[in-house]
Amino acid sequence: MEEKEMHEKEIQPIKKKSIFKKVLFLFLFFLLVFYLYIRYGETNFIVVHEYPIYDNHLPSIYDGTKIVHFSDILYGSTVHEEMLNKTVEKINELKADVVVFTGDLFNDTIHLDEKDYTILKEKLRNINATYRKYAVIGNCDSPNVSIYKDIMESAGFLVLENENDLLYIKGNDPLLFIGTSSLLEKQEDVMKAFQTEGNTETYYKIWLHHEPMILDTLLLHNIEPNLLLTGHSLHGLVSLPFGRYLLNQEGVGEYTTSYYENGNIKMFVSGGIGTYKFNVRFLNYPSINLYRLYSHL
């Protein structure tokens, strides 16, 4: 009897050590799988978020107009030629009337060369829009703004650098597209961008900017576009329950989610395509926004 008890005492710590090793192995295996998913899995999917926008300020002739909005390619991070091809294909599937890009084509932590610039020109040139393609300058584009403008203009985008454009699609009532440059780089000039001939009160105004905190600047100047389209936030890259986000960037402020409304302004914040500093995404796929405009419910 005594020999049996001694034998059990010898085996017990061995069993505990074996269980600990198994638990540790499973934990490390889970961490590895989780990392591979957030680094190489979720960053390679693209989803489309579709939003109907009802606004009685919109001329009824524009009912059903489709605007496709993408942002923050941050080329060289998790976005290379293959992912860029996916993005272009997904945009073209939506058959947009107007396509807008709200900045950060580049990632200022990554060096690109002439081959990369050629790829960007060729791929972005393949984006189709029935009427026009617009772009604005993001904070990561600012250090190489001449190269950025060369790429975007070669690809058929009109770069709005603190300026605006009247787009006549149907009849004599235009859509007024306004674009301002990076707020973080202190290159925005909202008053200059807003100057135009005619009575702007009668125009449906779509404002393009990179950082969502431009909303505060517009409110400070008593400027109220009907629609404000921004990017930059990447929705924090890592999403948590109850609408919380991690890894938020400077210049996002309180505007971490997809949609905000203030007075007559409806602001949408794109979650972007690429990543910045942290090359991961969790519960936050790269995304493209599709807006359908309607003058009434």
Side-chain angles (χ1 to χ4, degrees):
M1 187 74 177
E2 290 181 0
E3 288 183 13
K4 184 178 180 182
E5 288 178 356
M6 288 179 63
H7 184 63
E8 287 177 350
K9 287 179 182 179
E10 289 174 358
I11 292 176
Q12 191 173 8
I14 295 175
K15 284 184 176 179
K16 286 184 178 179
K17 191 173 182 181
S18 176
I19 292 171
F20 174 77
K21 283 184 176 180
K22 287 180 180 178
V23 171
L24 179 61
F25 173 79
L26 289 173
F27 176 71
L28 294 175
F29 179 75
F30 169 78
L31 285 181
L32 176 61
V33 171
F34 180 70
Y35 171 75
L36 291 174
Y37 171 73
I38 64 176
R39 173 61 182 87
Y40 299 103
E42 197 157 314
T43 57
N44 283 290
F45 290 101
I46 302 178
V47 298
V48 175
H49 299 302
E50 184 169 348
Y51 302 96
I53 298 175
Y54 302 97
D55 192 327
N56 57 19
H57 293 95
L58 180 76
S60 59
I61 56 173
Y62 289 108
D63 274 353
T65 296
K66 292 192 292 185
I67 298 176
V68 169
H69 171 205
F70 71 118
S71 192
D72 298 271
I73 288 176
L74 295 158
Y75 194 78
S77 55
T78 51
V79 178
H80 297 88
E81 186 173 0
E82 183 180 352
M83 185 62 172
L84 191 58
N85 278 331
K86 287 183 186 179
T87 303
V88 172
E89 289 172 7
K90 187 70 72 174
I91 290 172
N92 286 341
E93 288 173 5
L94 301 175
K95 300 186 184 304
D97 295 305
V98 178
V99 173
V100 302
F101 176 67
T102 51
D104 275 8
L105 178 65
F106 303 139
N107 185 329
D108 60 8
T109 66
I110 295 173
H111 174 74
L112 302 182
D113 57 25
E114 288 297 328
K115 181 181 178 182
D116 296 313
Y117 299 149
T118 300
I119 290 171
L120 286 166
K121 285 181 184 180
E122 291 177 351
K123 302 306 177 184
L124 294 176
R125 190 180 295 126
N126 292 331
I127 292 177
N128 299 323
T130 304
Y131 298 106
R132 194 154 297 171
K133 301 189 291 189
Y134 292 103
V136 291
I137 299 167
N139 61 294
C140 288
D141 304 318
S142 296
N144 296 292
V145 68
S146 60
I147 298 174
Y148 172 80
K149 290 177 68 176
D150 177 58
I151 290 171
M152 299 308 290
E153 289 170 357
S154 296
F157 283 78
L158 176 59
V159 179
L160 296 176
E161 194 173 4
N162 295 318
E163 56 192 323
N164 59 69
D165 183 62
L166 287 170
L167 179 60
Y168 290 87
I169 295 179
K170 301 173 183 178
N172 296 320
D173 293 316
L175 299 175
L176 177 60
F177 282 85
I178 308 160
T180 39
S181 300
S182 173
L183 185 71
L184 278 175
E185 297 298 318
K186 297 180 173 56
Q187 294 174 343
E188 85 290 352
D189 188 336
V190 297
M191 299 308 296
K192 177 185 175 186
F194 198 49
Q195 291 175 359
T196 187
E197 295 181 3
N199 182 10
T200 58
E201 292 298 319
T202 64
Y203 299 146
Y204 187 78
K205 297 175 282 295
I206 301 170
W207 200 294
L208 311 178
H209 189 82
H210 183 60
E211 300 95 347
M213 283 183 67
I214 192 66
L215 176 59
D216 298 336
T217 304
L218 294 178
L219 294 173
L220 187 65
H221 288 83
N222 296 313
I223 297 174
E224 291 193 356
N226 303 93
L227 185 59
L228 174 58
L229 306 180
T230 68
H232 183 65
S233 80
L234 303 175
H235 293 168
L237 293 179
V238 174
S239 175
L240 297 176
F242 312 112
R244 297 189 63 190
Y245 298 87
L246 299 179
L247 309 181
N248 288 315
Q249 295 195 70
E250 182 187 0
V252 172
E254 63 185 285
Y255 306 115
T256 56
T257 57
S258 303
Y259 177 72
Y260 296 87
E261 196 166 335
N262 192 309
N264 294 321
I265 303 175
K266 298 178 176 68
M267 180 173 77
F268 289 88
V269 183
S270 167
I273 303 296
T275 57
Y276 187 72
K277 291 185 179 178
F278 303 94
N279 292 333
V280 298
R281 281 181 179 264
F282 181 60
L283 301 180
N284 178 17
Y285 294 112
S287 60
I288 295 165
N289 288 356
L290 168 63
Y291 313 109
R292 294 180 187 267
L293 306 184
Y294 300 99
S295 58
H296 53 78
L297 287 171

